[in-house]
Amino acid sequence: MGEQPIYTTRAHVFQIDPTTKKNWVPASKQAVTVSYFYDSTRNSYRIISVDGSKVIINSTITPNMTFTKTSQKFGQWADSRANTVFGLGFASEQQLAKFSEKFQEVKEAAKLARDKSQDQGETLSNHSQESGRETPSSNQASSINGTDDEKIFHVGPETAVLKTENEHLKSTIEQSTTNAKKWETELQTLRENNARLVDALQESSANVESWKKQLGACKEESDTLREKITELEAQCNEANEEKQRNAQLSVRVQELETELHEKEQELENLRKQAEIIPQLMAECESITAKLQTAETKSKELEGRTEGLQLDIDDSQQKQANMKGELKKFMDMLDGKIDELHEFRQGLSKLSVDN
């Protein structure tokens, strides 16, 4: 029947760095198929994994092998024949547990197969020894109980069969001895690999502790950064509120600047009107001078007073009216100047507060 797959899963494959014997080197870029195979002809088990056209795992399971879980999703085992340590990274804890259980089952089956092979070798060896002991007694019995012809007739065929069996048993024993030496060599290699694996596991444990400490430090740093981020977000919110207030104040300042421009325009108009006042004053002075001259002439021309008195009264009335209007205008101008002064003071105060 040859080899047949008995269990298949998928995992990321790693091998121990042959130089440092500490770091893991990825043997596959992605998760690949990892299968247990059973060879009914040799009664052996293997773990095989192929990535494309490349065989990345070809490990024969022996009773001395041990599959170790180093984390929740990672496991490893040492192969003395391949002189390396294989590591598998699984997608879930369940896959790792199933693979580990299957490894233990295959390991027990390999152990039973080895014990059975050893029992068969011991049985063949005992049978050879018993056959060797029985041969002289049969010859002796034949020589006592029969003639020489009978001895040749009865003993000859049995001796040939026993010789054939002895040759077969000798070859079997030699093969068993050779296998025993190979197993001793493999056992020594496995012990060495086991020692290396123990060192690697101890170092891995130390690395795990270091990683735990680093993880704790990273968590503390992450918490600190989160607190800082929260503070910065609060500051950003305050800054946004301040920007909104500044925007509102900017709008208000623009409105006030517009009002100030209007007030300045109005003041400019008032200034233009105020420029007419000296002319009016000059006219008033001129009229006053004329009035005085008229009064002087009125003294001289008493005879004409009656005719000119009406003109003087009209002139005085106009002068009084003009003075009243001028006074009203001056009062209004003073009020406008006071309002403009108060408006400028308010605008200055608002700019200082902003």
Side-chain angles (χ1 to χ4, degrees):
M1 295 295 293
E3 281 187 315
Q4 297 292 331
I6 57 176
Y7 177 74
T8 300
T9 186
R10 293 184 66 82
H12 290 270
V13 180
F14 299 86
Q15 289 188 11
I16 202 72
D17 190 346
T19 303
T20 62
K21 298 295 184 181
K22 295 180 180 180
N23 301 324
W24 289 107
V25 178
S28 62
K29 296 181 180 179
Q30 57 187 359
V32 295
T33 301
V34 181
S35 302
Y36 285 94
F37 279 82
Y38 172 63
D39 190 345
S40 58
T41 304
R42 299 181 180 179
N43 197 16
S44 63
Y45 297 86
R46 288 197 301 169
I47 298 177
I48 298 176
S49 179
V50 179
D51 186 8
S53 59
K54 180 182 177 182
V55 179
I56 55 178
I57 298 179
N58 184 8
S59 178
T60 301
I61 305 300
T62 63
N64 297 321
M65 287 185 176
T66 301
F67 184 81
T68 305
K69 299 178 183 178
T70 58
S71 68
Q72 294 180 348
K73 299 180 181 180
F74 192 86
Q76 63 186 39
W77 79 95
D79 190 337
S80 60
R81 295 182 180 179
N83 193 24
T84 187
V85 179
F86 293 102
L88 296 180
F90 295 90
S92 63
E93 298 181 24
Q94 291 77 11
Q95 292 180 351
L96 174 59
K98 185 65 176 178
F99 188 90
S100 178
E101 292 175 0
K102 202 66 181 178
F103 193 97
Q104 188 66 26
E105 293 176 5
V106 170
K107 176 181 174 181
E108 294 295 333
K111 183 178 180 181
L112 292 175
R114 185 189 66 178
D115 295 341
K116 184 177 180 181
S117 176
Q118 290 179 352
D119 292 340
Q120 289 178 352
E122 291 177 358
T123 303
L124 292 174
S125 178
N126 294 332
H127 181 69
S128 175
Q129 293 176 359
E130 290 175 358
S131 300
R133 287 195 301 269
E134 288 175 356
T135 301
S137 62
S138 62
N139 290 335
Q140 184 177 3
S142 299
S143 61
I144 293 173
N145 296 326
T147 61
D148 293 337
D149 293 336
E150 291 174 347
K151 178 180 178 182
I152 294 171
F153 178 79
H154 292 288
V155 176
E158 294 179 358
T159 303
V161 172
L162 289 174
K163 285 181 179 181
T164 302
E165 291 181 356
N166 285 335
E167 292 295 332
H168 179 68
L169 289 173
K170 284 180 181 180
S171 63
T172 304
I173 292 170
E174 290 176 356
Q175 184 66 31
S176 299
T177 304
T178 304
N179 292 334
K181 291 180 179 180
K182 289 182 180 180
W183 292 335
E184 289 178 358
T185 304
E186 290 182 359
L187 180 60
Q188 184 63 27
T189 304
L190 287 173
R191 287 176 179 173
E192 294 175 356
N193 290 333
N194 191 23
R196 294 177 184 174
L197 184 59
V198 169
D199 294 337
L201 288 174
Q202 291 177 352
E203 187 171 359
S204 298
S205 300
N207 291 334
V208 168
E209 293 297 328
S210 176
W211 294 337
K212 287 181 179 179
K213 292 180 181 179
Q214 293 178 2
L215 180 61
C218 289
K219 287 182 177 179
E220 292 178 357
E221 185 176 0
S222 178
D223 294 336
T224 304
L225 290 175
R226 286 177 181 174
E227 293 177 357
K228 290 183 178 179
I229 289 171
T230 304
E231 293 176 358
L232 290 174
E233 287 178 350
Q235 293 177 2
C236 288
N237 293 331
E238 293 178 358
N240 291 330
E241 293 177 355
E242 188 67 24
K243 286 181 180 179
Q244 292 178 357
R245 287 196 295 269
N246 290 336
Q248 294 175 357
L249 290 174
S250 298
V251 173
R252 180 58 181 165
V253 168
Q254 290 178 356
E255 293 176 353
L256 292 175
E257 287 178 352
T258 303
E259 293 180 2
L260 178 61
H261 181 70
E262 294 176 354
K263 295 291 184 181
E264 288 178 350
Q265 188 67 32
E266 186 177 357
L267 180 60
E268 185 66 23
N269 295 330
L270 292 174
R271 285 177 181 175
K272 290 179 180 180
Q273 294 177 3
E275 291 176 356
I276 304 173
I277 295 175
Q279 297 177 359
L280 296 175
M281 293 296 292
E283 290 179 358
C284 289
E285 291 177 357
S286 176
I287 293 171
T288 303
K290 288 180 180 180
L291 182 60
Q292 291 176 356
T293 302
E295 288 177 354
T296 302
K297 288 181 178 182
S298 66
K299 290 179 181 180
E300 294 176 353
L301 301 174
E302 291 179 357
R304 298 179 180 178
T305 54
E306 293 178 357
L308 297 174
Q309 186 66 39
L310 296 173
D311 296 332
I312 293 169
D313 293 336
D314 292 337
S315 298
Q316 288 179 351
Q317 185 66 33
K318 290 179 180 179
Q319 185 179 4
N321 293 334
M322 189 175 293
K323 286 182 178 180
E325 291 178 359
L326 181 61
K327 185 177 180 182
K328 291 179 180 179
F329 181 78
M330 291 296 293
D331 294 335
M332 183 178 66
L333 181 61
D334 292 336
K336 293 291 183 180
I337 291 171
D338 293 335
E339 289 179 1
L340 181 61
H341 182 65
E342 291 176 358
F343 179 77
R344 283 186 173 179
Q345 286 182 349
L347 182 62
S348 300
K349 184 177 180 181
L350 179 62
S351 298
V352 171
D353 293 339
N354 188 20

